[in-house]
């Protein structure tokens, strides 16, 4: 980072140890760093990983889960990324409000994807509130439509889209 030092009356140079939030390109650069870390873990270590912003999901057989998690955490810390692991290894994980259940992938070839219980409860709560009220504003319809569109995209494409269009 280059900045003007008004006391010394000259440009000064410094290394930024984080993203300079507020700059136009900060989100793009933040994602580039995440993608670079994803590449190092995937290609360099051979650990299947997916990255979205600051969420990293690793997907390995349960026998390797704890070791893979510890390796990824160590690599992320060495690279200066906050390697905070929020969840213990499990056959289920949540990414972007969608729950993935891998319990029957190996035995039955089935991956179960569902909206999180919180997402379902939120939609249910909004719907009952509107029903009790007896009418809906344009803004409320827009909010409900967005939530229903996202939730329905987890169900074999978007089967609820035609009904949601009415909102």
């Amino acid at each position: 980072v280059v900045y003007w030092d008004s006391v010394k009356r000259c440009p000064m140079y410094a290394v930024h140890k984080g993203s300079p939030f507020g700059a136009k390109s900060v989100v793009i650069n933040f994602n580039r760093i995440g993608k670079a870390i994803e590449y190092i873990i995937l290609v360099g270590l051979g650990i299947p990983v997916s990255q979205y912003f600051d969420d990293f999901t690793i997907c390995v057989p349960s026998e390797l889960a704890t070791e893979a998690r510890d390796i990824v955490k160590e690599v992320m810390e060495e690279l200066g990324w906050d390697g905070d692991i929020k969840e213990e290894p499990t056959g289920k994980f949540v990414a972007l409000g969608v729950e993935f259940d891998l319990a029957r992938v190996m035995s039955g070839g089935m991956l179960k994807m569902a909206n999180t219980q919180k997402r379902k409860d939120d939609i249910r709560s909004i719907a009952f509130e509107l029903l009790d009220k007896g009418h809906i504003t344009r803004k409320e319809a827009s909010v409900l439509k967005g939530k229903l569109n996202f939730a329905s995209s987890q169900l074999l494409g978007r089967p609820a889209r035609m009904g949601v269009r009415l909102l």
Side-chain angles (χ1 to χ4, degrees):
V1 174
V2 179
Y3 65 95
W4 182 259
D5 187 319
S6 59
V7 175
K8 294 180 181 178
R9 303 189 56 71
C10 66
M12 298 297 291
Y13 301 88
V15 175
H16 224 296
K17 293 192 176 189
S19 291
F21 286 96
K24 284 183 181 180
S25 64
V26 74
V27 174
I28 293 168
N29 289 333
F30 183 85
N31 285 333
R32 284 181 178 159
I33 293 167
K35 285 294 178 192
I37 293 171
E38 176 186 36
Y39 183 85
I40 290 168
I41 294 168
L42 180 63
V43 176
L45 301 174
I47 298 174
V49 64
S50 172
Q51 175 265 339
Y52 184 78
F53 287 98
D54 63 344
D55 292 333
F56 289 82
T57 303
I58 56 176
C59 190
V60 296
S62 57
E63 299 82 18
L64 304 174
T66 301
E67 185 178 2
R69 181 209 50 206
D70 293 346
I71 291 169
V72 168
K73 183 176 180 178
E74 185 177 335
V75 167
M76 292 173 83
E77 287 171 354
E78 287 293 322
L79 294 171
W81 193 273
D82 179 9
D84 182 37
I85 306 292
K86 296 177 184 155
E87 297 181 22
E88 289 299 311
T90 178
K92 290 183 182 180
F93 67 92
V94 174
L96 302 175
V98 179
E99 182 177 271
F100 296 83
D101 185 346
L102 307 170
R104 295 184 50 203
V105 168
M106 298 304 283
S107 64
M110 184 177 94
L111 167 64
K112 181 179 175 187
M113 294 172 50
N115 289 291
T116 60
Q117 191 60 48
K118 181 185 180 324
R119 183 175 306 280
K120 292 185 270 189
D121 291 344
D122 287 348
I123 292 171
R124 188 177 296 115
S125 173
I126 291 169
F128 281 122
E129 184 179 305
L130 293 171
L131 286 170
D132 289 344
K133 200 164 79 164
H135 68 289
I136 188 169
T137 67
R138 184 180 299 237
K139 182 179 178 184
E140 290 167 334
S142 178
V143 168
L144 182 59
K145 180 179 182 178
K147 290 183 178 291
L148 288 171
N149 272 331
F150 185 88
S152 72
S153 67
Q154 284 28 277
L155 308 171
L156 298 174
R158 294 163 62 120
R161 185 167 183 147
M162 282 182 29
V164 171
R165 278 190 186 152
L166 299 174
L167 292 172

